[in-house]
């Protein structure tokens, strides 16, 4: 059996290893080593916990069995999951962290002696507060992530679900969470504990349903952050440094990602959370839409344009993920490169359904990461490029964001696609993007619309090159 | 007067938030998806609490309400630990540099 001090040191070590795991992600070269540090930290934390309890009887076997069941399921999912489903996977995983935080809190509430927190009905006040916070945040993370998962998976409609009195209702529930936590701490009543859990599940559900599909990058990052705070809350209850450090790391990581995503859309965090993007003045732009002429072309025209170009910039978006076009795209780019055409990729921060979504898909298709650029790095290059190939992106290329202060996306950083000599826009129809507004780019003199499925069109172009 | 140990934990917590802040800002944007999956995996260190709960019962009653919640939490966290780290590994293995000889 390990002494309390020694195990605390080991928990500290695993906390430090987790910091190194995140540090490794500063560049792809060091990232694999970082992931190894993370695994090591986890192995240390788990082993030390077993050793410090020192109970290797039947209970230990049962624990191992449950651990292995979970581990096998996790490993199976990790190997089977297609890269395009990564946002759903991450949302699903968040829900599990949330739920396990809730379960640990319940276990601690029912059997506080095991955690040195006092006795049932007489739990130390500080621990009870920490436990309630951990449980409530965990429950919100769980139900919120489930909704995010359903929306991303397409089981639930991605469009915002709003109803009258939504915001007052949410505010009321949030206040009642605080009140119930206060009452719970003063009465130690287990009924209140269950009520607290139920309304926390409810608020997580209500908070996410009004948020639409393309705002999912913010939601996933936010839930990531919540799962961290939940872990930290439980960490305080268990007086465990590894858990406190990790919770703080994950919490701030998710918060920063949400901030980056909001900035990528030029919207405040509250604006996203309160839901309903573009729902306001959709009808205004609706009228003068149909009259404007559009140039449309086929794979042959596109191939001709690209063959005569000396540099091509590719702008991928969520549509590429939906059509699973990343491999076809890579083949097209290979052909272009054989013809000595310079190709690079431009990624908007909110392209796709989660932070870095496009980068992962391109990496999966064997696109070298030093050909892929972020918005700030590449935006000046559009003026010198011959062809911009927009595949599955829409709002992030809309020049209206720079010109029309009335537009809901005004001020959002966009890729300066229109500055290219010619623009090829692969899209299934002229329908507006998520923001519900028309894209001026469609009607520009130098734009050629390619109406087709992204994957099929890319394959056809490759054939014609 | 003695300082409450809670204050020490709070200090660790606050300082870790700052570490997290600076470390995460230095993560390259192209690795934001692996960042999410790895933070997911490490936040499953909550399994520590689940194990304590699971092993709390004595040898006669391995399964009481509290330990059952512990066992369930162990499974959930284990899904995350293995799933999170392995999927991160899988993703990171795909990030390759341009081949020089091309």
């Amino acid at each position: 059996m390990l002494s309390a001090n020694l195990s605390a040191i080991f928990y500290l070590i695993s906390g430090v290893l987790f910091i190194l795991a995140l540090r490794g992600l500063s560049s792809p070269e060091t990232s694999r080593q970082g992931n190894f540090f993370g695994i090591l930290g986890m192995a240390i934390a788990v082993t030390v916990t077993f050793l410090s309890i020192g109970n290797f009887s039947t209970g230990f076997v049962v624990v191992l069995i449950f651990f292995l069941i979970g581990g096998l399921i996790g490993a199976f999912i990790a190997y089977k999951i297609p890269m395009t489903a990564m946002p759903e996977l991450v949302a699903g995983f968040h829900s599990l962290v949330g739920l396990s935080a809730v379960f640990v809190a319940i276990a601690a509430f029912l059997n506080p002696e095991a955690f040195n927190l006092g006795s049932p009905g007489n739990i130390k006040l500080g621990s009870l507060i920490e436990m309630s916070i951990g449980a409530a945040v965990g429950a919100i993370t769980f139900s919120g992530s489930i909704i995010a998962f359903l929306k991303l998976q397409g089981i639930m409609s991605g469009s915002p679900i709003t109803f009258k009195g939504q915001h007052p209702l949410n505010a009321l529930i949030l206040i009642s969470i605080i009140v119930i936590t206060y009452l719970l701490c003063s009465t130690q009543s287990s009924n209140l504990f269950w009520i607290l859990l139920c309304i926390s599940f409810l608020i997580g559900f209500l908070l996410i349903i009004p948020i639409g599909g393309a705002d999912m990058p913010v939601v996933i990052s936010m839930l990531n952050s919540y799962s961290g705070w939940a872990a930290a809350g439980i960490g305080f209850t268990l007086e465990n440094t590894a858990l406190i450090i990790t919770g703080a790391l994950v919490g701030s990581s998710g918060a920063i990602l949400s901030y980056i995503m909001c900035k990528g859309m030029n919207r405040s965090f509250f604006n996203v959370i309160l839901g309903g993007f573009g729902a306001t003045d959709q009808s205004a732009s609706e009228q003068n839409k149909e009259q404007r002429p559009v140039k449309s072309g086929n794979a042959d025209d596109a191939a001709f344009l690209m063959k005569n170009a000396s540099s091509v910039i590719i702008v991928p978006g969520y549509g590429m993920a939906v059509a699973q076009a990343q491999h076809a795209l890579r083949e097209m780019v290979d052909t272009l490169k054989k013809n000595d055409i310079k190709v690079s990729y431009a990624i908007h921060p909110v392209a796709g359904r989660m932070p870095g979504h496009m980068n992962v898909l391109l990496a999966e298709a064997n696109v070298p990461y030093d050909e892929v650029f972020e918005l700030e790095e590449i935006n000046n290059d559009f003026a010198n490029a011959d062809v911009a190939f927009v595949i599955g992106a829409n709002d992030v290329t809309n020049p209206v964001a720079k010109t029309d202060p009335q537009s809901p996306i005004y001020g959002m950083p966009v890729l300066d696609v229109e500055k290219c000599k010619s623009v090829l826009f692969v899209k299934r129809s002229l329908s507006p993007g998520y923001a519900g507004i028309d894209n001026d780019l469609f009607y520009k003199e130098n734009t050629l619309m390619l109406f087709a499925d992204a994957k099929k069109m890319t394959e056809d172009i490759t054939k014609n090159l | 007067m003695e300082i409450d140990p809670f204050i020490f934990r709070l200090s660790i917590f606050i300082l870790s938030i700052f570490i997290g802040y600076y470390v995460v800002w230095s993560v390259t944007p192209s690795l934001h998806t692996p960042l999410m999956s790895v933070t997911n995996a490490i936040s499953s260190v909550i399994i520590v609490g689940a194990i304590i709960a699971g092993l709390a019962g004595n040898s006669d009653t391995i399964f009481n309400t509290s330990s059952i919640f512990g066992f369930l939490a162990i499974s959930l966290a284990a899904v995350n630990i293995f799933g999170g780290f392995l999927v991160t590994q899988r993703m990171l293995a795909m990030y390759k540099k341009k081949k020089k000889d091309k």
Side-chain angles (χ1 to χ4, degrees), chain A residues 102 131-145 173-174 176-178 180-181 184 192-208 226:
Chain A
V102 172
M131 201 188 291
S132 319
I133 295 175
V137 179
I140 295 173
T141 312
F142 171 70
S143 54
S145 303
I173 296 179
L174 284 174
S176 64
I177 286 183
I178 297 169
I180 290 175
T181 310
L184 171 64
L192 286 173
F193 184 72
W194 300 118
I195 295 175
L196 176 69
L197 283 182
C198 290
I199 56 170
S200 304
F201 280 127
L202 182 67
I203 188 72
F205 170 77
L206 286 172
L207 277 177
I208 308 302
Y226 285 1

Side-chain angles (χ1 to χ4, degrees), chain A residues 24-28 374, chain B residues 23-33 35:
Chain A
L25 290 172
S26 56
S27 101
E374 304 300 318
Chain B
V23 169
V24 171
W25 270 117
S26 73
V27 171
T28 162
S30 67
L31 290 176
H32 276 163
T33 300
L35 171 68

Side-chain angles (χ1 to χ4, degrees), chain A residues 23 25-26 32 35 42 66 70 78 81 93-94 97 107 111 114 224 238 240-241 243 246 355-356 359 368-370, chain B residues 6 12 26 28 30-31 33 39-42 45 48-49 56 62 66 75 78-80 82-83 85 89-90 92 96 98:
Chain A
R23 183 77 190 98
L25 290 172
S26 56
R32 284 168 278 253
N35 197 39
M42 187 61 74
F66 276 92
I81 193 91
F93 277 174
H94 285 157
V97 178
N111 187 4
N224 187 242
L238 306 181
N240 183 306
T241 0
L243 207 38
T246 316
N359 303 80
Y369 61 81
D370 38 10
Chain B
F6 171 78
I12 295 174
S26 73
T28 162
S30 67
L31 290 176
T33 300
T39 49
N40 218 319
I42 64 173
V45 74
V48 166
I62 296 166
S66 164
S75 279
V79 171
N80 243 319
F82 282 81
F85 281 123
Q89 186 110 333
R90 211 181 121 199
L92 293 177
K96 290 188 199 87
K98 209 179 329 198

